[in-house]
Amino acid sequence: MGRGRCRHPSSGGRTPRPRPPARTRLTRRGRLLVLLLCLAAGLGGTGLAIAAWDTGPGPTPRAAPDPATGGPAAPDSPGEVSSDPPSRARVPDSGSGTFAPARLNGSPVGSGTLRRYQVQVERGSGVEPDEAAAEIQRIVAHPRGWARNGRGRFQLVTGKADFVIRIATPKTADRLCAEAGLDTGGELNCETGKGVVVNLKRWLTGSPRFAGAPAAYRHLIINHELGHALGLGHLGCPGPGRPAPVMMQQIKGLDGCDSNAHPYGTNGTYLAGPAL
């Protein structure tokens, strides 16, 4: 046989090499593992993966979509992510009835008469006061909000305030709203003249009638109740397919309008509707 050609051990010639000891040979399971590893390497270029083998950390969470544009928003603070979806949020029906104030102070935003506000959260609600205050401050300062469009000047404070924004469990919210003669039925938020009462259920889960995540619905909560604090009443839908005004009670139905969480459009136009 010519040079460079192999001879089968059974055809004579050189003495067959001894088989390696059993401890150095691949078992059937080992050969299968090697085969799967090779397949995984080959599939890597196609974007496929074997999910069961992914034991490392998951991808870095992305910031929640910007409610103003529907596109991705840069985080307002490192590591900021959206809250749990409604199906996973745990909402206690009642809490301690006492409130813990946030410890954050902010700079004034907007123009006109300054209104200082404090944020308080009911103890036992599971919501951190400082986190809630930071989120409300971002909502107030949003480019499509009241402050950025000349309708008010607001500042988050820890001391003396013109009004208080309280996040309360449903039963506590009902009690506080009832003191102002309002029936919220364990579901609604209210503005009492002394401040804003946010129902914890709405804060954590959003609204089944609102096309958006709870983080987006929180803009509607704050903007609607701040609108009342500015002396504005309820509005209706201006027409099918048009953005619902923030002063519309969108949780009770949209009447053909599209969900909207901001007082102003992307072009700076005030999103109004017929007075109710």
Side-chain angles (χ1 to χ4, degrees):
M1 185 173 292
R3 184 183 298 276
R5 299 179 63 184
C6 297
R7 309 177 81 179
H8 195 279
S10 62
S11 63
R14 292 182 299 174
T15 303
R17 294 179 181 178
R19 298 180 67 188
R23 67 176 179 272
T24 65
R25 295 199 305 268
L26 289 174
T27 64
R28 175 179 291 182
R29 179 176 298 178
R31 290 195 298 272
L32 178 59
L33 178 60
V34 171
L35 175 60
L36 290 175
L37 288 171
C38 291
L39 287 173
L43 291 174
T46 67
L48 300 177
I50 301 175
W53 290 6
D54 184 12
T55 59
T60 302
R62 293 179 295 178
D66 183 355
T69 64
D76 290 286
S77 60
E80 180 190 350
V81 296
S82 58
S83 59
D84 287 341
S87 60
R88 297 177 61 183
R90 299 180 61 184
V91 184
D93 191 51
S94 61
S96 65
T98 62
F99 289 83
R103 298 167 295 177
L104 300 181
N105 285 293
S107 300
V109 59
S111 60
T113 302
L114 179 63
R115 293 177 172 86
R116 298 177 179 88
Y117 67 95
Q118 187 184 109
V119 173
Q120 299 179 0
V121 176
E122 185 175 1
R123 294 181 176 89
S125 66
V127 174
E128 290 295 327
D130 287 358
E131 293 179 5
E135 185 165 4
I136 290 171
Q137 183 176 231
R138 290 193 294 270
I139 292 171
V140 171
H142 192 277
R144 294 176 59 189
W146 298 114
R148 292 295 188 185
N149 290 274
R151 294 296 291 268
R153 187 166 177 243
F154 302 94
Q155 182 182 14
L156 172 65
V157 298
T158 56
K160 184 178 180 181
D162 298 298
F163 65 96
V164 178
I165 299 176
R166 293 183 175 91
I167 299 176
T169 58
K171 286 188 176 180
T172 302
D174 283 352
R175 175 176 59 79
L176 294 175
C177 294
E179 292 174 358
L182 302 170
D183 181 7
T184 46
E187 298 287 336
L188 305 178
N189 315 293
C190 74
E191 194 278 330
T192 67
K194 297 179 181 179
V196 172
V197 179
V198 177
N199 187 309
L200 179 68
K201 185 175 182 179
R202 300 278 72 85
W203 183 262
L204 293 179
T205 69
S207 166
R209 296 179 183 271
F210 184 85
Y217 189 71
R218 289 171 197 154
H219 282 251
L220 177 57
I221 293 173
I222 299 302
N223 286 323
H224 183 96
E225 301 305 335
L226 283 186
H228 284 314
L230 292 171
L232 301 176
H234 288 145
L235 300 176
C237 175
R242 296 180 63 181
V246 293
M247 297 314 298
M248 180 179 178
Q249 291 180 292
Q250 296 181 39
I251 194 172
K252 295 184 177 181
L254 294 170
D255 295 334
C257 270
D258 294 334
S259 297
N260 167 56
H262 303 279
Y264 294 84
T266 54
N267 60 358
T269 301
Y270 177 60
L271 301 175
L276 298 179

